[in-house]
Each structure stands twice: as structure tokens, then as C-alpha cells.
Amino acid sequence: MGPESNEDCRTASLTSDPADVAPAIDALMGPLGNQDPLGRLPAAAADDLRLALTEVLNNCILHGYEDQRGRPIEMALRVTPSGVALNVADQGRTPPESLLVDQADAFDPLALFDDKGSEAMAESGRGWAMIRMLTDGLSLEQRDGWNILTMEKTVGA
């Protein structure tokens, strides 16, 4: 299914294949460096949301679907009174709600390096901190077998 849109909402879908991520994001949000397709966010804020979406989709594939290909992922970008909301829905494993809580005070970027300051870092573990930093609100609900993550981006934030 291709993208659908009206002036208040735009939708797109993909399957849980890493090769589908970039084309699906382009279909939903348009090219990098542009305003969001609904015209609510400036280019820099739309790029933040695009980066957060990329990380969320990769998490859906790797962790939610445990790298199983061909599973459904649905996206919807919609206008809200304060900006835009982006829903990502999948039927994989549900992420722990603790990942959604803002832990900015507990996040120590220097802890990602070993005692010699080298980049001997784990390959994962920073994505949710990045998602929280790039968005203005996160929520997760489960409905009819779907995990629905909502990321919010506020105009002027």
C-alpha cells in the first residue's frame, strides 16, 4: 500500500525489511531538508522527527520483530493543535515502557566509552535516548494486537 494523504493526515506502510525503511520514510515525510508534508514544522524540526522515525522503525524490525522479514508496520503523520504527531504501529514484541521515560538526567554519554576514552562502545543502547531528545513527547499504547508508538513534535520547540 502506498502513502495516502489529506491536508491533516498522511499515512504509509512498510514491511519489516531494513531495505524498506528509507523509501517508506520518503513516502511519508518527503525529502530530507524539507518542511514536513503537512506544512506544520520547519525543515530542522522535520529532520529531527525523520531521524527519530528511522530509529523507531529499525527498533521495530530488530527488536520488535526480532529480524523477521515481511511483518507489517504502519505509520501516520497527522496535524495536532500544537504541531504534528507521528504514529508507528507494529505487531512485534512490546518495548518496555521504561524506555519511553525521559531519563536525560541519568544518561551519561561518557559512560559509552571505556576507561581509556576509546570508542569501544556497544552497538546498541542509545537509540531511545536519541528518540527522546529529538521529540517533544512519546507515548505507547496497545490496541487489537498492535503496539502504537506516538511521537510528538511541537511547532516552535
Side-chain angles (χ1 to χ4, degrees):
M1 170 166 45
E4 296 179 23
S5 66
N6 64 43
E7 59 187 56
D8 291 328
C9 184
R10 187 170 175 91
T11 63
S13 59
L14 67 150
T15 64
S16 57
D17 184 329
D20 290 349
V21 171
I25 292 172
D26 286 346
L28 183 71
M29 298 199 63
L32 187 64
N34 284 346
Q35 213 178 17
D36 75 88
L38 301 177
R40 294 282 290 173
L41 299 176
D47 287 349
D48 285 350
L49 197 55
R50 182 186 186 94
L51 182 56
L53 176 59
T54 301
E55 183 64 24
V56 166
L57 293 175
N58 287 323
N59 281 343
C60 286
I61 294 167
L62 182 63
H63 302 294
Y65 285 132
E66 299 175 321
D67 262 341
Q68 295 175 8
R69 301 294 187 257
R71 304 289 306 275
I73 301 172
E74 302 290 331
M75 303 176 292
L77 180 67
R78 60 187 164 76
V79 171
T80 66
S82 60
V84 299
L86 176 55
N87 294 343
V88 178
D90 72 82
Q91 296 176 318
R93 286 185 338 168
T94 303
E97 261 193 69
S98 62
L99 292 175
L100 303 179
V101 176
D102 187 2
Q103 300 169 353
D105 293 336
F107 181 66
D108 178 9
L110 297 178
L112 300 173
F113 297 89
D114 67 15
D115 61 352
K116 296 178 182 69
S118 68
E119 295 184 38
M121 303 183 339
E123 288 188 26
S124 64
R126 295 169 301 282
W128 282 102
M130 180 180 72
I131 292 165
R132 287 190 304 271
M133 289 171 50
L134 293 168
T135 60
D136 299 315
L138 285 175
S139 62
L140 178 67
E141 69 175 292
Q142 294 175 297
R143 187 178 340 131
D144 300 324
W146 289 84
N147 304 307
I148 304 168
L149 178 72
T150 301
M151 297 178 280
E152 296 176 37
K153 196 68 177 169
T154 304
V155 174

